[in-house]
Amino acid sequence: MNQDTLQKLVEKLSLEKFNRRFSHTASFNRRLRTTGGRYHLKSHDLDFNPEVLKVHGQDIFEGIILHELCHYHLHLEKKGYRHKDKAFKELLREVGGLRYTPPLQHQVEKPQWQYRCTGCLLTIQRQRRFNVNKFLCAKCRSRFELIEQE
């Protein structure tokens, strides 16, 4: 799917499900990693993650388009467009959009750093490395040592 096909699909879904025109730009954004789509409040444009289409297919991708169109139309009508708002939840349920993007299977978990307390031998895991000279164990007030990076 290219940009023109995406634009036409978004316009078609907007007319079919919302009975309103989509008059802004819809585009693919390869930099989106953890989200399926994004609505820009200032420009009213929509961005979509092309990986979702590759991994999950057309049906899931259309659910994400409907989700972003809910943000779009509610914001332009000056109604509650955020995830927590009642108007957003009701409209999303009416049109059959997805609440969450399914996880992409290609995403690799972040490396874990393992540390061991030199006093009580407590083992902890962290996503970010920390300076073992600055922090102490909360249980026994001893220093940590780096075991390994998983």
Side-chain angles (χ1 to χ4, degrees):
M1 182 181 288
N2 60 16
Q3 300 287 355
D4 295 332
T5 315
L6 174 65
Q7 182 74 29
K8 289 176 185 172
L9 177 63
V10 172
E11 290 171 1
K12 181 184 124 206
L13 286 174
S14 182
L15 278 174
E16 286 178 3
K17 299 286 186 171
F18 298 92
N19 296 323
R20 297 182 195 108
R21 291 188 60 225
F22 176 74
S23 56
H24 291 85
T25 306
S27 60
F28 283 115
N29 186 347
R30 298 189 189 286
R31 290 175 288 155
L32 295 177
R33 294 280 178 209
T34 59
T35 183
R38 181 172 57 185
Y39 168 62
H40 296 274
L41 291 172
K42 291 183 181 177
S43 66
H44 306 296
D45 294 337
L46 301 178
D47 288 346
F48 295 100
N49 186 347
E51 282 296 311
V52 174
L53 183 60
K54 289 179 191 172
V55 173
H56 295 294
Q58 185 77 18
D59 291 336
I60 299 292
F61 190 67
E62 286 181 8
I64 293 169
I65 292 173
L66 293 174
H67 177 103
E68 298 307 323
L69 283 172
C70 286
H71 289 300
Y72 173 80
H73 289 300
L74 288 171
H75 183 250
L76 292 179
E77 293 175 5
K78 296 183 178 22
K79 294 183 179 177
Y81 60 89
R82 291 188 247 163
H83 291 121
K84 65 180 181 178
D85 294 328
K86 185 177 180 182
F88 177 80
K89 290 178 184 177
E90 289 174 358
L91 183 61
L92 189 65
R93 195 176 311 113
E94 282 177 27
V95 298
L98 289 178
R99 182 93 165 106
Y100 302 103
T101 301
L104 298 172
Q105 286 132 0
H106 77 280
Q107 290 177 342
V108 180
E109 288 190 25
K110 292 183 180 179
Q112 297 283 318
W113 296 88
Q114 285 192 343
Y115 297 91
R116 183 184 311 126
C117 173
T118 56
C120 65
L121 302 179
L122 174 73
T123 304
I124 61 170
Q125 291 185 348
R126 294 288 180 266
Q127 287 185 356
R128 297 181 75 182
R129 192 172 181 169
F130 67 85
N131 187 349
V132 294
N133 296 322
K134 286 187 177 180
F135 297 97
L136 299 175
C137 177
K139 280 181 154 183
C140 67
R141 312 299 288 168
S142 298
R143 299 251 180 230
F144 285 102
E145 63 180 357
L146 178 63
I147 301 172
E148 64 183 39
Q149 178 186 4
E150 284 185 358

